[in-house]
Amino acid sequence: GKLREDALTGSLNRRGLDETLAREVARAARYGSALSIGVIDIDNFKRLNDTYGHQTGDRALIHLVRIVRSLLRPTDTIGRFGGEEFVIVLPETAADAGQLALERLQRELTRQFFLANNERLLITFSGGVAQLRAGEDEQSLVARADEAMYRAKQAGKNRVLMAT
């Protein structure tokens, strides 16, 4: 429903994302299956907005979500965590496979150029991946993936790091 959807990108909004995470964490705990999440954050997004305007920034977010959705499995979901930060929920997926999935997204983003005023721009993101631990809740899971994403930014951006 629209209440769970981000109006701009069509990804889940924060509410929809929270519901999905709670459901998938409970399911993984119940069945003992692997669950990984990726936190991705567009690199230099403020600069993009300042240089090309907010409409272009909005279009960049739409572009990112469209590409992510084209590569995700039907069971995977993407939700907007806030601003230019998104969470990708990957059921039945271990951390190393989650990292490969995010790196595949990065390669696809470099292939599909984003056009701003007839200028081809490269949109990149930094990502962090975390796999659910026994007894862990979704807040802790997201926090670990988020921390790995920040390390990816500090390490030079446009890369995906594994949570510790």
Side-chain angles (χ1 to χ4, degrees), residues 16-108:
L17 183 61
D18 286 345
E19 287 172 12
T20 299
L21 277 168
R23 188 176 65 242
E24 293 300 338
V25 164
R27 181 179 292 159
R30 188 160 62 240
Y31 297 111
S33 54
L35 169 68
S36 290
I37 66 156
V39 170
I40 68 175
D41 188 274
I42 296 181
D43 294 324
N44 308 312
F45 190 70
K46 185 179 164 5
R47 192 170 75 204
L48 180 78
N49 271 326
D50 291 347
T51 308
Y52 298 96
H54 284 279
Q55 241 176 334
T56 300
D58 283 353
R59 282 184 32 244
L61 296 175
I62 293 165
H63 174 79
L64 170 81
V65 169
R66 192 179 40 114
I67 289 174
V68 170
R69 287 181 119 166
S70 74
L71 291 178
L72 291 182
R73 301 165 304 178
T75 50
D76 301 332
T77 24
I78 179 168
R80 192 169 176 190
F81 197 58
E84 64 276 22
E85 193 172 6
F86 293 85
V87 172
I88 298 172
V89 185
L90 304 162
E92 311 276 330
T93 305
D96 51 355
Q99 184 171 23
L100 289 173
L102 262 63
E103 287 170 350
R104 197 167 66 239
L105 292 176
Q106 289 185 315
R107 283 197 299 277
E108 194 56 35

